[in-house]
Amino acid sequence: MQLDFFPSRTLTLYLAKLFIVRILAVLVMLVVVLMALDLLGATGKILEVEGNGQAEVLKYMSLRVPQLISRFLPYSVLLATLITLVTLNQNSEVVAMKAAGLSAHQVLAPLLLTAALVAVVSFAFNERIVTRANSTLKAWEANEYAAIPDESGGRANVYLTDGTNILTASSLVGTGEGLEFDNVTWYERAPGGIIREFVCASRATYAAPGWRLENPERFDVGTTETEALDTLVVGEALTPERIDLQAVDPDSLGFLELRETIDAFDAVGRRTDEMKASWWHRLSGPLSAVLMPLLGSIAAFGLARSGQLFVRAIIGMALGFAYFVVDNAALAMGSFGGYPPFLAAWAPFFLFLLLGETVLIRTEE
């Protein structure tokens, strides 16, 4: 048996080429189908806004496609693994490789190397493109697909607290004293938490101190009366610096930016479990591609003529999708504080790594 981890250079390139072509083919198929289904619901909402047309639909696609690529690239690696290994098994190529003295790990080595390269590309793609697309698309959706004055630094679905009172907005753009809120609602609550009145406004700007609401309408919960006001200043304790700490979307920040934000939150004693889990998942998420050849490897081994090839492919697919289910559940638990952030991001990865190795060693090695 060869002592090298990889087979010959020719065989390594052959398997890597087969694998990468199938990854790209499956990814393109998934993105095209899912983008078409997404447009069925989103196009109507985009075109409802006066002045929007084909350019805005294409803009939506340019922002949505990176999200779909990032989310479904690991699924593409899993399906490509099954397609590649089932094809090799059916053509008796796996039997030939094992007859030549290659171990199961050596057969999988080119696929694992290719998956590792895909993971590196995925991480870079998420950092350079997906985070920016997330920020712009969330702000645009929160503004109901109307034009955003300044997309730089735009944040969506803002929720801020000022003592017992709450300030919400559909979007927030700008930085420092130039911050502007759109579709603002100010909830004034009693000490027990009961809402006494709320004020709705189309826009809010910094009044130094506080935030000046434009064209506000006040609704008194006790009297059920609505009153139109000329102007109103609320949230005097909400400074721009404090808002920068509160209105943070982890999905819109880069890896280093998110780390700096976590440090800033820790310095003032704010809760950071969700952001820490997201930060660790920036690494474990792309690396999930490396697991897919290992989890799907059960489809490569065993005689195709035994009649169990289809069953093996189903088992490999089930293992792969089980990982994604467990990963999402652990990440949700980490965001709520049920698991430590590091454990929430990495436990599913190492669990299924050991599971895949166990299945491969006990069945083939």
Side-chain angles (χ1 to χ4, degrees):
M1 179 179 291
Q2 297 183 18
L3 297 178
D4 296 333
F5 183 67
F6 290 96
S8 66
R9 180 176 181 275
T10 301
L11 186 56
T12 298
L13 293 176
Y14 170 71
L15 294 176
K17 181 180 177 181
L18 283 179
F19 192 36
I20 195 65
V21 168
R22 282 157 177 77
I23 291 175
L24 294 176
V26 173
L27 181 61
V28 169
M29 178 192 68
L30 288 176
V31 170
V32 169
V33 172
L34 293 171
M35 190 70 251
L37 294 175
D38 193 16
L39 286 176
L40 291 177
T43 302
K45 297 178 182 179
I46 296 172
L47 297 180
E48 281 179 359
V49 180
E50 184 178 356
N52 284 356
Q54 182 179 356
E56 283 68 28
V57 175
L58 294 176
K59 175 185 176 181
Y60 176 82
M61 291 178 61
S62 69
L63 296 174
R64 192 75 177 97
V65 166
Q67 293 182 337
L68 294 176
I69 292 175
S70 175
R71 178 173 299 177
F72 290 97
L73 182 57
Y75 295 90
S76 301
V77 177
L78 172 63
L79 296 177
T81 296
L82 296 173
I83 294 172
T84 302
L85 296 180
V86 167
T87 302
L88 292 174
N89 198 349
Q90 283 184 324
N91 295 334
S92 300
E93 292 176 85
V94 173
V95 175
M97 286 185 281
K98 297 200 73 176
L102 298 182
S103 67
H105 284 89
Q106 286 176 311
V107 173
L108 294 178
L111 277 63
L112 293 171
L113 176 61
T114 304
L117 295 177
V118 169
V120 173
V121 172
S122 176
F123 177 81
F125 180 77
N126 292 341
E127 288 300 296
R128 298 296 300 173
I129 298 176
V130 177
T131 53
R132 299 176 184 179
N134 287 338
S135 176
T136 303
L137 184 56
K138 286 183 178 180
W140 195 29
E141 287 177 338
N143 205 38
E144 297 181 349
Y145 301 107
I148 301 175
D150 181 11
E151 293 182 356
S152 177
R155 286 163 282 183
N157 300 323
V158 180
Y159 180 96
L160 306 170
T161 58
D162 178 20
T164 59
N165 303 323
I166 300 172
L167 177 67
T168 65
S170 64
S171 62
L172 169 64
V173 295
T175 57
E177 296 186 0
L179 286 172
E180 296 182 2
F181 295 94
D182 288 322
N183 299 324
V184 184
T185 305
W186 168 259
Y187 298 93
E188 185 174 328
R189 300 193 297 178
I194 299 175
I195 296 177
R196 293 187 297 199
E197 64 179 30
F198 62 86
V199 183
C200 298
S202 59
R203 188 165 169 265
T205 55
Y206 189 50
W211 298 88
R212 181 175 291 106
L213 305 181
E214 297 184 2
N215 303 319
E217 286 190 357
R218 173 190 289 153
F219 178 79
D220 192 304
V221 176
T223 62
T224 67
E225 294 181 354
T226 302
E227 178 185 4
L229 306 175
D230 293 333
T231 185
L232 180 66
V233 176
V234 299
E236 294 186 0
L238 291 173
T239 62
E241 293 77 14
R242 182 179 171 188
I243 290 173
D244 284 338
L245 284 180
Q246 291 196 41
V248 171
D249 178 15
D251 294 334
S252 301
L253 299 178
F255 185 75
L256 298 179
E257 293 175 321
L258 184 56
R259 181 69 259 179
E260 293 173 356
T261 302
I262 292 172
D263 293 338
F265 270 62
D266 285 335
V268 297
R270 297 291 303 279
R271 183 176 178 273
T272 58
D273 286 348
E274 181 179 0
M275 287 188 290
K276 287 180 178 178
S278 177
W279 187 77
W280 282 115
H281 200 259
R282 295 289 180 88
L283 298 174
S284 64
L287 277 178
S288 64
V290 182
L291 286 179
M292 298 304 109
L294 196 60
L295 297 178
S297 63
I298 192 172
F301 307 105
L303 294 177
R305 289 188 293 272
S306 67
Q308 296 182 354
L309 182 58
F310 179 75
V311 176
R312 285 173 170 267
I314 294 297
I315 294 174
M317 185 179 296
L319 287 173
F321 280 100
Y323 166 78
F324 294 118
V325 173
V326 173
D327 182 56
N328 290 331
L331 190 61
M333 291 295 292
S335 299
F336 289 121
Y339 292 162
F342 180 84
L343 185 65
W346 286 103
F349 178 86
F350 288 111
L351 173 64
F352 278 84
L353 177 64
L354 294 175
L355 178 62
E357 277 291 340
T358 301
V359 172
L360 184 62
I361 291 173
R362 289 186 62 86
T363 58
E364 297 302 328
E365 297 288 17

